[in-house]
Amino acid sequence: MRFEGAGAVPPSRLPVRELARASVGVSSTAAAELLALRNRVPVPAVRVNEAAVATALVSERHLRIDGRMPASFAPLSGFWQTAGGWVRTHANYPHQRARLLNVRPTNVNLPFRQS
C-alpha cells in the first residue's frame, strides 16, 4: 500500500487523518484482494490519495443547495469541554438528541436545557 498526495490536511483534535487513511487503505486492500481472488490474478497495488481522502472527510462543507450550505450537524452535536477532558456528542437523529437531553452529565457545560 502506498500513500501519496498528502498536501495540506485540515487540523484536528483527534487523529482523524491517520484513521481516515488507514480505513481507506485497509478497505482498498480488501477490495483488491477480493478482486484478485475472484479473477485468479495477483493482488494489484493499492495507492491511497490522501488529498482525496481529506476532501471526502469534509465533503459536506462543499455541498450547496440553491446556492446555500445546508446545516449538516445538529446544534447539540459537537465537542464539549469537561473537567476531565472533552466529550463528543451526536444529536443529528431524534433518538440521539433525546438521549443526550435525558443523560446530560452535570459536569459538562452544554448550552441547552432539557425541554
Side-chain angles (χ1 to χ4, degrees), residues 6-25:
V9 179
S12 176
R13 293 181 186 126
L14 301 173
V16 175
R17 175 184 179 206
E18 292 80 4
L19 176 63
R21 70 184 291 218
S23 297
V24 171

Side-chain angles (χ1 to χ4, degrees), residues 1-99:
M1 181 181 335
R2 190 172 83 198
F3 296 97
E4 55 190 33
V9 179
S12 176
R13 293 181 186 126
L14 301 173
V16 175
R17 175 184 179 206
E18 292 80 4
L19 176 63
R21 70 184 291 218
S23 297
V24 171
V26 167
S27 299
S28 298
T29 299
E33 290 174 350
L34 180 60
L35 179 68
L37 183 64
R38 285 184 176 171
N39 295 321
R40 295 188 171 108
V41 298
V43 178
V46 172
R47 294 178 309 194
V48 176
N49 183 305
E50 293 192 56
V53 173
T55 300
L57 284 175
V58 294
S59 61
E60 78 282 355
R61 296 178 192 173
H62 301 284
L63 176 65
R64 298 291 182 270
I65 298 175
D66 294 329
R68 295 187 322 233
M69 186 168 79
S72 60
F73 289 100
L76 301 182
S77 295
F79 284 94
W80 308 96
Q81 191 166 17
T82 69
W86 291 85
V87 170
R88 171 68 165 112
T89 59
H90 298 272
N92 285 2
Y93 295 100
H95 70 277
Q96 293 171 329
R97 183 179 187 281
R99 293 294 193 285

